[in-house]
Amino acid sequence: AENIRKMILALSKDLRVVLIKLADRLHNLKTLSAIPVQKQKRIALETSEIYAPLAYRLGMSNLAGELEDLAFPFLHPQEHKWLVKNIKERYEERQIYLGKVKEIVEKNLKENGIAPLKIDLRAKRYASLYKKLLRYDMNLEQIYDLVALRIIVKTVEECYAVMGIIHQLWPPLPGRIKDYIALPKPNGYRSIHTTVFCLDKKPTEFQIRTLEM
């Protein structure tokens, strides 16, 4: 798969060719159920191993996630049915929920004199969730980041101030506060992670960092 990724990039002297290939693959996946089963699995596997990672490497994470999610039910039909059955809210509903949380956070940060540079929303997709569940023996109770917000601020001091404001709004889950600013990961990753009982007491993860981080 790695060699094919390199080949696609090498052959495509004009990057727009790659973008067209990715768009074409997205369209193909949306009509995948109309073709023979054997061909479905081949296209789904090719998408998961080649096209989605390629999109991710080009910085197109939303497209990469959508490609993986469209391929997932053809690669793991039983696991997909299990996830849909056991996760009450669909991806789109989790996105709407995050939008409501973002409004509350922005209002409270403004009241405390903090203007975030950016707030990103991320609802975990089925394919990504399945990969994580494999590491936790398929135990959904161990997954705390079905929904998450990433808050980018100007300074380290603001990172800690934002965490304090979030904890005033919603109580944190015990043992789910991780300070990778004071103690960075071995690869240099720095950020504050905290999971709180947010709206409707739903566990929601916040990642807080500076633009440099």
Side-chain angles (χ1 to χ4, degrees):
E2 181 64 27
N3 289 336
I4 296 173
R5 286 187 206 118
K6 289 178 180 177
M7 180 189 70
I8 291 171
L9 284 172
L11 290 174
S12 304
K13 294 178 182 178
D14 187 337
L15 190 61
R16 289 174 295 182
V17 176
V18 178
L19 303 182
I20 291 168
K21 280 182 173 291
L22 290 170
D24 183 54
R25 176 51 56 116
L26 181 64
H27 178 263
N28 289 344
L29 283 169
K30 288 180 177 179
T31 57
L32 201 55
S33 56
I35 65 173
V37 174
Q38 201 59 35
K39 201 172 180 182
Q40 286 176 355
K41 290 197 171 182
R42 181 183 62 77
I43 291 173
L45 186 63
E46 195 176 65
T47 300
S48 178
E49 292 192 347
I50 300 165
Y51 287 89
L54 181 61
Y56 187 79
R57 283 162 183 253
L58 292 172
M60 303 165 73
S61 56
N62 284 338
L63 175 61
E66 190 173 0
L67 288 170
E68 281 199 321
D69 248 20
L70 288 168
F72 181 58
F74 296 96
L75 292 174
H76 307 284
Q78 296 306 317
E79 291 85 346
H80 181 260
K81 285 178 185 175
W82 183 86
L83 281 173
V84 171
K85 181 181 177 182
N86 285 278
I87 297 174
K88 295 176 184 177
E89 293 176 325
R90 297 181 66 84
Y91 174 77
E92 293 78 11
E93 292 172 320
R94 296 199 298 275
Q95 288 281 68
I96 292 168
Y97 165 83
L98 285 170
K100 293 177 183 176
V101 175
K102 182 182 177 182
E103 284 183 19
I104 296 170
V105 170
E106 284 179 328
K107 177 176 176 288
N108 280 269
L109 292 183
K110 186 177 180 181
E111 288 174 357
N112 284 273
I114 297 175
L117 299 173
K118 192 178 182 184
I119 299 180
D120 293 324
L121 312 178
R122 193 214 64 214
K124 213 168 191 64
R125 293 180 177 272
Y126 286 128
S128 175
L129 176 58
Y130 174 65
K131 289 177 186 175
K132 189 160 188 176
L133 278 168
L134 288 174
R135 303 199 300 270
Y136 290 94
D137 298 321
M138 300 304 286
N139 185 354
L140 273 170
E141 292 182 2
Q142 294 295 313
I143 306 299
Y144 296 100
D145 61 344
L146 271 177
V147 284
L149 293 91
R150 182 187 297 119
I151 303 173
I152 313 295
V153 291
K154 299 182 185 73
T155 65
V156 171
E157 290 76 15
E158 283 188 341
C159 288
Y160 289 101
V162 169
M163 181 176 68
I165 292 164
I166 290 167
H167 288 173
Q168 285 178 348
L169 287 167
W170 303 292
L173 271 73
R176 295 297 303 175
I177 302 171
K178 299 174 183 176
D179 188 347
Y180 296 120
I181 293 178
L183 191 65
K185 289 186 179 183
N187 64 2
Y189 176 87
R190 301 176 72 209
S191 181
I192 294 173
H193 292 192
T194 182
T195 303
V196 301
F197 291 106
C198 203
L199 295 179
D200 303 322
K201 296 185 178 179
K202 186 194 299 293
T204 303
E205 183 181 81
F206 288 85
Q207 299 177 1
I208 310 158
R209 67 194 69 164
T210 66
L211 192 60
E212 182 186 9
M213 292 174 197

